[in-house]
Amino acid sequence: MPKNKTLKHDTLLSICENLATAVILLDEQLIVVYANDSASELFALGHKRFLGQEFESLFNYHNIDIKRIISHTLNEGSDCHQHRADAVFLDSRHAKITLSSRKITIESNPYIMLECRALDEEIKHDKASHQMHQYIAARTLIRGLAHEIKNPLGGIRGAAQLLQYEVDQQERDECATLIIEQADRLTELVDRLLGPNQLPNKTWCNIHQTLESVVKLTMLSNHSQINVIKDYDPSIPDIFIDQGKIQQVVLNIVRNAQQALTEGGEITLQTRIRHHMRIHNKAMKNALMIKVSDNGPGIDKAIRDTLFYPMVTNKDGGSGLGLAIAQTLIDQHDGYIECESWPGHTEFNIYLPFVNQQ
Ligand SMILES: Nc1ncnc2c1ncn2[C@@H]1O[C@H](COP(=O)(O)OP(=O)(O)O)[C@@H](O)[C@H]1O
Ligand SMILES: [Mg+2]
């Protein structure tokens, strides 16, 4: 093996071309002067379209801290890293990417060399287990809280019922009725906090029928100009689910999208089959994916990480229970629900495994 210095220029170029990492070279004006094959693939841009482009024009959206990259690499000459940046490419694909950048000097001109790696699979796995932990923690908290409230409530109701036996005392009766009403109201609230406690009643269903009912219900309250786009895969076979519960999940997600689209927009319902997925660390041969996406403002940054927690809401009078209940219901189906959002786009993906009836 020859030492580096004896390698020919063409050989070095060929090594660079074949790197699995996407490499992009930018000049001081952030114009692309070189991109290797992996970069072409990641950005879905041919070499010709890459060269001479401004860095910004390679994306529909990104939150890469380019100012920091410039100050670290060009000005200070040190390396710079950014983990898990969001990138939406020109063909609307979204990816989480990790970037490393450093300054290199070629023929006494400084350049920024960017190495980018898409992290989607790794991140999805991390996100799934993090989300599951959050969910379990929240559920434990709510269960404990609910029991604490429910016990004394039983006492209040019992006492009030005794009061009612005190005949001819109209005032006492009225008072007792009031206590009962209030106690019942509180119990109802606690039951709502506890979430669905009935086991799902599963039957074989056509998922598109379920989605059609959601669309119908949505159209009934379509006050702003919202287009619902259906992108179904008609070859999807029947699936063994509790139709009412899955409908409730999708309806809540669509309603949320509708509420987010205050100035109109589009909601897309998509169905696909996904092969060889991992759901809660179990391999699934085939899973149904239901994607609900909208082109609204995106999920408020402040609640993005706790979206599926009960009582997380940014709406006046919102219960914040919709997504928490959705997660419980999807969990009862051994499925998985996730959310991706950036300004101008929000999507909820529901994965339900195809399983046999027993
Ligand atoms: N499509 C969406 N676009 C923007 N924000 C959303 C979207 N879906 C959900 N959210 C946010 O998630 C929060 C929680 O939703 P949810 O659990 O259904 O409770 P609620 O609808 O009662 O607020 C909402 O308050 C909203 O801020
Ligand atoms: Mg809701």
Side-chain angles (χ1 to χ4, degrees):
M1 187 70 191
K3 283 189 185 158
N4 266 3
K5 61 180 178 186
T6 63
L7 281 177
K8 283 189 190 140
H9 175 260
D10 283 353
T11 317
L12 289 171
L13 195 63
S14 152
I15 291 172
C16 208
E17 280 302 334
N18 285 291
L19 287 174
T21 311
V23 177
I24 298 172
L25 207 60
L26 301 172
D27 68 12
E28 278 180 299
Q29 275 72 47
L30 303 182
I31 305 288
V32 179
V33 295
Y34 170 77
N36 71 353
D37 282 352
S38 294
S40 268
E41 206 175 296
L42 179 64
F43 285 77
L45 280 180
H47 283 276
K48 279 195 184 138
R49 287 199 53 207
F50 243 123
L51 299 184
Q53 291 295 317
E54 282 177 23
F55 178 75
E56 284 302 329
S57 68
L58 302 175
F59 303 90
N60 278 346
Y61 166 80
H62 72 79
N63 57 8
I64 297 165
D65 195 348
I66 194 72
K67 278 196 188 134
R68 189 168 149 254
I69 290 178
I70 296 170
S71 78
H72 275 61
T73 53
L74 287 182
N75 304 345
E76 293 166 34
S78 53
D79 291 358
C80 179
H81 303 281
Q82 187 175 349
H83 293 285
R84 304 184 172 197
D86 281 295
V88 180
F89 301 109
L90 297 183
D91 59 357
S92 301
R93 256 176 320 119
H94 166 255
K96 295 266 186 211
I97 56 176
T98 278
L99 287 139
S100 302
S101 51
R102 67 169 46 175
K103 177 180 172 179
I104 59 170
T105 307
I106 304 169
E107 292 169 357
S108 31
N109 294 315
Y111 293 90
I112 301 173
M113 187 172 84
L114 276 181
E115 294 175 57
C116 325
R117 221 155 40 85
L119 285 174
D120 267 1
E121 280 320 301
E122 219 175 288
I123 288 214
K124 267 196 177 134
H125 183 259
D126 282 356
K127 247 174 125 177
S129 70
H130 178 63
Q131 201 171 296
M132 197 61 203
H133 281 121
Q134 283 187 334
Y135 162 59
I136 291 168
R139 195 174 55 179
T140 311
L141 178 84
I142 295 293
R143 291 241 153 119
L145 188 72
H147 279 288
E148 291 294 324
I149 300 172
K150 254 194 152 170
N151 286 339
L153 276 180
I156 295 173
R157 200 173 196 284
Q161 275 174 325
L162 280 177
L163 256 177
Q164 264 184 324
Y165 292 118
E166 305 280 334
V167 280
D168 295 335
Q169 306 252 353
Q170 204 190 336
E171 267 180 0
R172 280 192 183 187
D173 263 1
E174 279 173 11
C175 180
T177 310
L178 200 107
I179 294 171
I180 293 172
E181 274 174 12
Q182 292 309 307
D184 287 349
R185 261 175 90 168
L186 274 169
T187 308
E188 200 184 298
L189 173 81
V190 171
D191 284 339
R192 268 182 43 216
L193 283 174
L194 272 172
N197 55 2
Q198 288 156 333
L199 285 175
N201 177 17
K202 297 182 186 174
T203 53
W204 290 101
C205 300
N206 177 318
I207 192 64
H208 299 127
Q209 269 173 15
T210 315
L211 298 184
E212 280 307 296
S213 327
V214 172
V215 172
K216 253 189 217 149
L217 288 166
T218 310
M219 290 326 245
L220 287 177
S221 57
N222 191 2
H223 302 305
S224 28
Q225 288 300 308
I226 295 171
N227 262 338
V228 178
I229 298 165
K230 300 174 215 170
D231 176 10
Y232 299 157
D233 173 353
S235 71
I236 291 174
D238 282 2
I239 184 162
F240 195 59
I241 50 168
D242 185 321
Q243 189 166 24
K245 293 193 166 172
I246 298 301
Q247 183 178 317
Q248 189 187 339
V249 170
V250 181
L251 186 62
N252 178 60
I253 293 171
V254 171
R255 283 257 153 87
N256 282 344
Q258 213 176 3
Q259 287 161 353
L261 291 168
T262 44
E263 283 158 30
E266 277 173 11
I267 299 176
T268 307
L269 288 173
Q270 191 187 57
T271 54
R272 292 288 184 271
I273 293 181
R274 290 278 176 258
H275 304 286
H276 306 295
M277 284 204 52
R278 292 195 76 78
I279 299 182
H280 302 320
N281 255 341
K282 259 199 266 167
M284 296 288 159
K285 211 165 156 214
N286 293 312
L288 163 67
M289 181 192 78
I290 307 168
K291 186 194 284 287
V292 180
S293 45
D294 69 73
N295 60 355
I299 292 189
D300 189 344
K301 232 179 169 177
I303 60 168
R304 220 172 272 177
D305 291 337
T306 51
L307 201 60
F308 290 89
Y309 264 47
M311 290 172 284
V312 170
T313 180
N314 67 355
K315 296 173 194 164
D316 285 342
S319 70
L321 290 176
L323 290 175
I325 291 172
Q327 186 160 48
T328 306
L329 296 176
I330 295 301
D331 191 50
Q332 285 180 346
H333 284 79
D334 299 316
Y336 174 57
I337 178 169
E338 63 172 9
C339 171
E340 293 285 356
S341 181
W342 54 88
H345 183 91
T346 300
E347 64 182 48
F348 284 85
N349 298 312
I350 301 166
Y351 299 95
L352 295 169
F354 282 103
V355 283
N356 295 330
Q357 185 166 353
Q358 67 276 3

